[in-house]
Amino acid sequence: MKITPRSMDVLRMLIDHVGQVVSPSDMLEIIWRSPIAGDHAVHKAIAELRSALNDRAGQPRYIKTIPKRGYTLIATVNFPAQQQSAAAEMAKEPTSGQPESNLVRDRSEQQSSSDRSNWLSNQPVWTRMAAALVLIIAVLTVPGMLRSPDSTPEADGVIRLTVLPFASRDFSDANQILAEGIREALIHGLAKLTHLQIISPPRSPELMNAALQTNGTTHYIQSADHILQGSVMSSEGRLRVIVQLVRADNGLREYSDQFDLPMDDIFAVQDEIVENVVSALRIYLNEAERSQMRDWGTTNPLAYERFLRGEFYNNQFNPADWQLAIEHHQAAVELDPDFLNAYHGMATAANNLAVYSGTERINELLQLVLDVHREVSRIDPDSPVLDSIHAIKLRMRGSSYVQQEMQLREQILSENPPRFAMAHYALLLIGARMYEEANQFLNLASEVGPYEISPDEVWSYRNNVLTPSESVIARKNQLQQRPYHVAYLGSVAVNLALLGDFRQAQIYLNQQREVDQEGILTHYTESVMAFLSGDIRADDGSYLDLMKKHPDFSYNNGVLAFMAGDLETGIAYWQNLQPVQLRRLFNVTHAAEKLFPEQVLHAPEYQELLESLGAGISWQRRLMEGVMAMETVTGVPLSRKSRDIYEKQQFMTRNNLWSEHQWAEYERYRALRQSQSSALNAVRIH
C-alpha cells in the first residue's frame, strides 16, 4: 500500500520507541520540524497508518491512543539481530535526570543524523544541493509559514549557483530594466542562504559587460554546480517571466516555470515573481516535500505552495483567515485546475466561514461550494472528495438535516465507513441533547484521514459536552494554539461569566469583537453575558434594547427572549428564521437551553415550535432510532436515559451525559448568578 513519507517516519518513530508513549509534540519536533505544522498533521499521519494497517482507534491492534499524552505501538516488534541490543537500549525507562520527551528527541536525532549522513554520502551533487536550497524561504513567504533551518538534512559543503542575466525578449529599455531588477531581487533573496554561494556576473551593467568580455559566460557556468536563468517579455500590460534551473555539467533541465502577471506596478510585479520563484524552488528542491506534494494531488510546486498557505490560514479559525484560505486555494486551482484537494480546501474554508456569516454572505459561500462540487465532479466523478463536499453542501443549506442524517447513517452502515461520518453524526447527536451517545461516537472519530474533518473540529465537538469549568480549561488550552479562534473566545467568555468571573470574561469578549467581522457571534456572547450579569429582565423589557433589528440576528434575539422568559417574543423571532440560519438552531440551541427557565423548556408552544422547525421530538426520535440501527457496526448503544425517553415518547430537554452531581453544580452556578442579579437590581432600584 502507498504510504506518504511523513507517515512512514511516524511509523518508524513508533517502532523505535515501542512500548513508550510518543507525544504529538515530539513527533512534530523530530519529524516535521516546521512551525506551520500542528497536532492535526500528526493525527492525519496516524489516521493514514491505521487505514493502511486496517486498525481501529476504538479497538486498536497496532497503534493505541493514550488520551492527552500521545500514541504507543502495541504490536509485537521483531528487530533484526544486529538491532536488538540497540532497540533494547532505546526501550529502557528514562533516567531520573532527563525527561522522557527529551530522551525520545535525543535518541531519534542521533539515529536521524546517522541516517542522513549515510544517505547523503551516496547521493549526487544535485540531491545534496536540493537539501541546501530548501532553506530558500528568505523573507518572502508569509509570517508563520517560515521553515526552520533544521527542517531538512544539511548539505555537504557549499553549493555554487549562478544566476545568469535574464533575457529581455522585446528589447525595450524598460523591459531590460525590469529583467535585471527581477534578477537582482532573486540574487538578494538567494544570497541569504548559508550553504549557497552566488557566483553570478556583477550586477552593474558596465561591470557585467566587462566581466563577460574577459571571462565569458563559460567561466560562470564552469565554476557553478547549477544555473538559474530566465527571460522576460511584456505585452499589453501583461508580463511573462520564464525561469529555468539546469545542471551546469550537462545542461539537464531540472525545473522550469512560467509566470503570467499584470504589470500595473513594476515593483509589486518584481516582488511577486521573486516570491513565486523562491517558493517554487523551495518546494521543488526539497525531495521530501516534492513527494508529499504529489501525494496531495499535484505536480505543480507553486500550486502546492499556495495550497499549504490555504491550509495554514484555514486552521486559524477566524473569518479574516478563512477568506485568505479561500483565496489561496483558488490560486492553487488556477495554477493546477485538477488539484482536487485544493478544491476541497476551498469548500472547507467556505463552510467554516459560513458558520459566522450573515444570510447574504452564506448564500455567496454556498454558491462557491456548488461550483467546487461541479468542478470536482468534472475531474473525477468517483472521487471520495465528492462525498465530503456533498456533506458540506447539505450543512450549509441548513434545511437538509434529515438528508444529512440519512447519508451519514448509510455511510456508517457501509463496510468501510469514513471516520468523518462518525464525527458529523456526533454533532447531530449533541444538538439533540444526546451527549452520552455523541461522546462515544467521537471516540470512534478521534483520528481522521486527510480532508475528512479537521481534528480541531473533533476536539471542538467534544468540548460541547463538557461542564462549564471543564470547558474553560479545554478552550483556554486550545486558544494557546489558535489565539484568534472566534468560537473559542466566545465559549470561554460565556462560561467564565457563568462561573462568576465577569472581569476575565470581558477580556475574551473584547478579543472576540476584534475578529468577528459580522458580529453575529459576538452579539450572542454579549446577550448571554448580559443575562448572567442581571442586566436584562423580562419584567422591565430591558432585554429589548440588546436586540438587533436585522434578520441575521433573529436566532440571537429569540435566545435572548427565551432566557428572559418571554415565550411569545422568542417564538416570533424563531418562526422567521431563514433556511440557512437553521444551522445555528440545530448546533447551538442545546447549549442555550441550559439558560432557559423551566416554564419555557416545558411549554407546549416551545416544543411545537422546535417540531415545526425540524428540531423537535421527531428529529430526536430519528437520531435515537439511528443509534439503535447502527449499534451492530459502531458498538454504541442507546443510553438508558435516551431509551427511557424514547419508550415514553417524550422530548428530552436536557443532555443525558452529565451526572446528577454535575447538573447540581451547574444549577448552583446558575442560581448564584440569578441571586447576584436580583441583589444588583435591588440596589439599582433603591
Side-chain angles (χ1 to χ4, degrees), residues 21-43:
V21 178
V22 183
S23 69
S25 60
D26 282 330
M27 293 183 189
L28 289 170
E29 185 170 352
I30 293 169
I31 298 173
W32 274 265
R33 299 189 176 190
S34 167
I36 69 167
D39 285 359
H40 65 281
V42 175
H43 294 310

Side-chain angles (χ1 to χ4, degrees), residues 313-375:
Y313 285 119
N314 196 23
N315 284 319
Q316 301 313 299
F317 281 83
N318 66 79
D321 284 329
W322 279 318
Q323 182 58 46
L324 286 173
I326 292 172
E327 294 170 4
H328 283 297
H329 284 305
Q330 286 175 327
V333 298
E334 288 175 4
L335 292 159
D336 183 353
D338 294 336
F339 194 172
L340 286 177
N341 283 323
Y343 283 108
H344 191 284
M346 193 189 313
T348 301
N351 174 57
N352 289 335
L353 181 55
V355 175
Y356 308 103
S357 298
T359 304
E360 182 177 351
R361 181 67 171 135
I362 293 173
N363 288 326
E364 293 174 1
L365 294 167
L366 177 58
Q367 185 58 53
L368 175 65
V369 171
L370 294 175
D371 293 341
V372 166
H373 191 275
R374 184 177 61 253
E375 285 300 304

Side-chain angles (χ1 to χ4, degrees), residues 242-539:
I242 298 174
V243 294
Q244 296 178 344
L245 185 71
V246 299
R247 292 183 61 151
D249 56 356
N250 58 16
L252 177 66
R253 181 185 300 177
E254 296 163 316
Y255 163 77
S256 65
D257 210 342
Q258 175 178 301
F259 305 97
D260 292 297
L261 303 160
M263 197 169 57
D264 299 331
D265 183 338
I266 188 171
F267 296 109
V269 169
Q270 287 182 2
D271 290 343
E272 185 167 359
I273 292 173
V274 172
E275 180 179 354
N276 287 348
V277 171
V278 170
S279 297
L281 286 176
R282 169 172 60 88
I283 298 297
Y284 180 82
L285 295 176
N286 182 340
E287 291 294 330
E289 288 189 330
R290 183 164 55 152
S291 175
Q292 191 177 47
M293 174 183 74
R294 291 193 294 267
D295 287 334
W296 281 111
T298 185
T299 57
N300 185 314
L302 192 54
Y304 180 63
E305 194 271 341
R306 293 293 181 264
F307 167 77
L308 287 180
R309 292 189 186 210
E311 280 302 281
F312 170 78
Y313 285 119
N314 196 23
N315 284 319
Q316 301 313 299
F317 281 83
N318 66 79
D321 284 329
W322 279 318
Q323 182 58 46
L324 286 173
I326 292 172
E327 294 170 4
H328 283 297
H329 284 305
Q330 286 175 327
V333 298
E334 288 175 4
L335 292 159
D336 183 353
D338 294 336
F339 194 172
L340 286 177
N341 283 323
Y343 283 108
H344 191 284
M346 193 189 313
T348 301
N351 174 57
N352 289 335
L353 181 55
V355 175
Y356 308 103
S357 298
T359 304
E360 182 177 351
R361 181 67 171 135
I362 293 173
N363 288 326
E364 293 174 1
L365 294 167
L366 177 58
Q367 185 58 53
L368 175 65
V369 171
L370 294 175
D371 293 341
V372 166
H373 191 275
R374 184 177 61 253
E375 285 300 304
V376 174
S377 300
R378 172 188 63 80
I379 298 166
D380 184 1
D382 299 320
S383 171
V385 171
L386 277 175
D387 288 339
S388 182
I389 295 177
H390 183 63
I392 288 173
K393 183 174 62 176
L394 292 178
R395 291 200 300 276
M396 291 179 67
R397 280 177 171 162
S399 57
S400 307
Y401 274 82
V402 171
Q403 190 176 352
Q404 276 190 62
E405 194 276 338
M406 290 174 59
Q407 181 187 33
L408 292 171
R409 190 191 300 193
E410 181 180 345
Q411 289 172 330
I412 294 171
L413 288 171
S414 68
E415 292 183 359
N416 188 26
R419 293 185 183 91
F420 79 85
M422 301 291 186
H424 288 319
Y425 206 91
L427 187 62
L428 300 182
L429 293 170
I430 291 170
R433 305 148 195 87
M434 298 167 64
Y435 284 15
E436 185 170 339
E437 294 86 350
N439 196 46
Q440 295 184 62
F441 268 76
L442 288 173
N443 289 337
L444 300 175
S446 58
E447 319 300 343
V448 290
Y451 286 91
E452 292 183 338
I453 182 175
S454 165
D456 294 291
E457 291 184 72
V458 176
W459 298 330
S460 178
Y461 295 171
R462 187 178 298 282
N463 286 333
N464 284 330
V465 307
L466 299 178
T467 62
S469 55
E470 293 171 335
S471 180
V472 166
I473 296 172
R475 297 297 196 196
K476 281 187 174 181
N477 288 336
Q478 291 172 320
L479 284 170
Q480 292 179 6
Q481 297 182 15
R482 305 284 189 273
Y484 303 110
H485 195 305
V486 63
Y488 293 173
L489 291 168
S491 175
V492 173
V494 166
N495 283 299
L496 282 171
L498 182 64
L499 297 174
D501 191 345
F502 287 96
R503 182 191 62 80
Q504 191 178 175
Q506 188 64 45
I507 294 174
Y508 284 94
L509 174 60
N510 292 338
Q511 291 176 331
Q512 187 182 45
R513 284 196 185 106
E514 294 178 3
V515 296
D516 185 12
Q517 292 181 338
E518 299 204 33
I520 298 173
L521 191 61
T522 301
H523 176 252
Y524 177 84
T525 305
E526 291 171 339
S527 300
V528 174
M529 287 177 60
F531 171 77
L532 292 171
S533 66
D535 289 338
I536 60 171
R537 294 168 53 207
D539 54 6

Side-chain angles (χ1 to χ4, degrees), residues 12-263:
R12 170 66 180 273
M13 187 172 180
L14 290 172
I15 291 173
D16 286 345
H17 303 92
V18 61
Q20 298 181 12
V21 178
V22 183
S23 69
S25 60
D26 282 330
M27 293 183 189
L28 289 170
E29 185 170 352
I30 293 169
I31 298 173
W32 274 265
R33 299 189 176 190
S34 167
I36 69 167
D39 285 359
H40 65 281
V42 175
H43 294 310
K44 287 178 181 178
I46 293 291
E48 184 180 7
L49 290 173
R50 281 178 168 153
S51 177
L53 295 167
N54 195 24
D55 200 14
R56 294 181 61 182
Q59 299 175 327
R61 294 183 298 128
Y62 297 98
I63 301 171
K64 182 177 181 180
T65 301
I66 309 299
K68 299 183 180 180
R69 292 183 61 197
Y71 303 94
T72 184
L73 190 69
I74 59 175
T76 301
V77 177
N78 296 315
F79 289 95
Q82 64 269 26
Q83 294 185 10
Q84 285 181 357
S85 59
E89 178 65 26
M90 294 178 72
K92 287 181 179 178
E93 290 297 322
T95 61
S96 58
Q98 187 178 24
E100 180 180 350
S101 60
N102 291 337
L103 187 68
V104 170
R105 179 165 58 253
D106 292 345
R107 288 170 176 166
S108 182
E109 286 179 349
Q110 291 168 8
Q111 181 67 35
S112 179
S113 176
S114 173
D115 292 344
R116 290 198 301 266
S117 177
N118 293 335
W119 179 79
L120 281 171
S121 64
N122 296 320
Q123 299 304 311
V125 66
W126 156 243
T127 307
R128 296 199 300 274
M129 175 200 171
L133 281 185
V134 72
L135 305 179
I136 279 179
I137 321 296
V139 295
L140 299 170
T141 50
V142 295
M145 290 198 66
L146 300 180
R147 304 280 177 168
S148 164
D150 297 326
S151 60
T152 55
E154 293 183 0
D156 246 351
V158 175
I159 304 300
R160 295 177 296 277
L161 175 69
T162 287
V163 183
L164 291 179
F166 275 41
S168 174
R169 295 304 185 189
D170 61 7
F171 306 108
S172 67
D173 291 340
N175 201 69
Q176 183 61 53
I177 292 172
L178 178 60
E180 183 53 30
I182 293 170
R183 174 178 173 273
E184 285 193 13
L186 273 172
I187 291 174
H188 177 73
L190 295 169
K192 296 178 181 292
L193 305 180
T194 305
H195 299 292
L196 189 65
Q197 180 183 358
I198 305 298
I199 55 173
S200 297
R203 301 175 189 181
S204 164
E206 294 80 8
L207 292 176
M208 184 188 300
N209 290 333
L212 291 175
Q213 290 173 3
T214 303
N215 302 308
T217 56
T218 304
H219 164 75
Y220 296 100
I221 294 174
Q222 289 178 343
S223 57
D225 297 310
H226 296 268
I227 301 164
L228 187 66
Q229 59 190 15
S231 63
V232 179
M233 180 172 61
S234 57
S235 176
E236 297 180 353
R238 299 287 298 177
L239 185 70
R240 171 168 294 177
V241 178
I242 298 174
V243 294
Q244 296 178 344
L245 185 71
V246 299
R247 292 183 61 151
D249 56 356
N250 58 16
L252 177 66
R253 181 185 300 177
E254 296 163 316
Y255 163 77
S256 65
D257 210 342
Q258 175 178 301
F259 305 97
D260 292 297
L261 303 160
M263 197 169 57

